Amino acid sequence: MMENYKNQNEDSEVDDFFEMLRTITNNGKMLDFDSMFDSIVNPREVQKVMYVYKLLRDTTGGENVTVNLELHEPFRSCGGVSVEGDSIVIYNTPAFMTALMLSDNFEVIPKLHGKTEMVFGFNDLAEYIWEEQL
Amino acid sequence: MRMTSFDTINFVVEEAKKEFADKYEFCERDYEILKKCCVLFDYLLKDVEIISYESEINEFEKTTALTAECQPTLNYVWLTDPKLLSVFQRLMLNTKSLKFEQKEDEIIRMTITFPSLWHIKTDSPK
């Protein structure tokens, strides 16, 4: 059952992001001047995160479920999709397995107020460029 | 000795077999698959402290639910171990649904539901 998703109307946001990805691919690289080292965003890995986000948003059910996407947090190379709710139910087990296989880590964590969080973690969303590589 | 998930399921299935015997036919083949899934489930949770296993059969759908209560957290790094991932994958192939919820005091309840083991009896052709 799909209900109470906070992120139901975020399709345009996702589309914007894919547009940004296309720009990145076209330009070849995007330098991150904010961090200590320059980095190149890895479009393939970011696409995996976006795909898992869409998959879980459309297939996860339960009570008061919200599906959240975090990119480049807490580091440029990390990201994840989290599903939080009073209870989380997965009826579409093949979709769930696809999400598992695409992600690098999977955790289920108890949170405050009786909520449960399921996190799919991703690494290598960006590659740091060291001086010798330049 | 740690209780296995199959011990829990076996008890309720044997009870249900008697209850449903009049109208439904028990599928031994599906039960063998379920037995294997229980082994996979135990393997998946081998490093987790299990508080209890519970099993329940849905009277209408005839599905078998298996719940494991885990302490203190169900916090895995399953995917870094390809063996565990393949175990999880095989388990999911035979699972109808998967549910995570928090009971109390950070105890996570993980419930997997297996498809029905019973089929409606049909008259054999004469």
Side-chain angles (χ1 to χ4, degrees):
Chain A
M1 300 285 281
M2 289 175 287
E3 54 186 75
N4 297 326
Y5 285 133
K6 198 188 274 181
N7 300 305
Q8 254 173 359
N9 300 318
E10 286 190 357
D11 270 336
S12 60
E13 203 179 312
V14 174
D15 291 340
D16 287 349
F17 193 84
F18 274 110
E19 186 57 41
M20 193 187 88
L21 274 180
R22 275 184 218 108
T23 315
I24 294 165
T25 316
N26 290 338
N27 291 343
K29 65 176 184 178
M30 186 176 80
L31 295 176
D32 172 29
F33 294 102
D34 296 333
S35 61
M36 193 182 288
F37 297 100
D38 292 337
S39 62
I40 301 173
V41 172
N42 189 342
R44 193 180 161 83
E45 289 297 318
V46 176
Q47 271 182 329
K48 277 187 190 175
V49 187
M50 299 305 292
Y51 182 71
V52 167
Y53 169 65
K54 278 188 147 185
L55 203 65
L56 292 171
R57 195 190 56 182
D58 295 342
T59 61
T60 315
E63 291 170 51
N64 301 320
V65 173
T66 54
V67 184
N68 302 302
L69 168 71
E70 273 195 357
L71 283 171
H72 306 297
E73 293 289 342
F75 306 107
R76 290 280 298 168
S77 60
C78 305
V81 179
S82 64
V83 183
E84 193 180 321
D86 293 335
S87 69
I88 302 164
V89 189
I90 296 117
Y91 295 105
N92 189 339
T93 47
F96 176 71
M97 272 318 298
T98 306
L100 270 183
M101 294 186 80
L102 288 174
S103 57
D104 295 307
N105 192 19
F106 171 68
E107 293 172 324
V108 180
I109 308 155
K111 301 211 60 171
L112 288 174
H113 311 300
K115 284 188 179 289
T116 307
E117 188 180 38
M118 186 167 76
V119 184
F120 294 79
F122 294 83
N123 302 324
D124 304 326
L125 298 190
E127 285 173 30
Y128 292 103
I129 310 167
W130 310 102
E131 247 180 56
E132 40 288 11
Q133 289 176 304
L134 291 171
Chain B
M1 194 178 154
R2 184 161 154 160
M3 198 178 182
T4 65
S5 52
F6 181 68
D7 295 335
T8 318
I9 280 192
N10 192 37
F11 179 75
V12 289
V13 167
E14 290 301 325
E15 289 295 309
K17 264 187 191 176
K18 294 172 204 163
E19 196 180 324
F20 302 146
D22 296 341
K23 284 185 185 174
Y24 298 93
E25 197 173 352
F26 185 72
C27 181
E28 289 289 347
R29 189 177 159 274
D30 288 351
Y31 196 43
E32 285 301 314
I33 294 170
L34 192 146
K35 267 184 200 175
K36 285 176 186 166
C37 286
C38 287
V39 176
L40 296 176
F41 191 70
D42 288 334
Y43 183 81
L44 202 65
L45 299 176
K46 65 184 168 52
D47 296 326
V48 177
E49 192 184 333
I50 302 287
I51 295 169
S52 66
Y53 277 127
E54 276 172 42
S55 186
E56 194 182 16
I57 289 168
N58 185 306
E59 206 176 313
F60 301 104
E61 292 182 330
K62 308 283 180 292
T63 52
T64 310
L66 172 66
T67 303
E69 285 186 0
C70 309
Q71 168 91 8
T73 59
L74 187 72
N75 193 345
Y76 295 104
V77 190
W78 278 338
L79 307 184
T80 52
D81 183 347
K83 200 173 174 183
L84 281 180
L85 178 61
S86 66
V87 165
F88 198 21
Q89 191 173 12
R90 284 181 60 191
L91 177 64
M92 281 294 110
L93 283 174
N94 298 296
T95 300
K96 199 176 177 194
S97 69
L98 174 69
K99 183 179 183 180
F100 292 106
E101 61 191 328
Q102 191 184 157
K103 192 186 166 193
E104 56 191 22
D105 301 330
E106 300 190 341
I107 293 168
I108 292 281
R109 284 167 62 91
M110 179 185 180
T111 305
I112 51 173
T113 308
F114 296 104
S116 174
L117 296 169
W118 286 269
H119 304 291
I120 296 170
K121 273 185 180 172
T122 49
D123 294 333
S124 54
K126 290 175 185 175

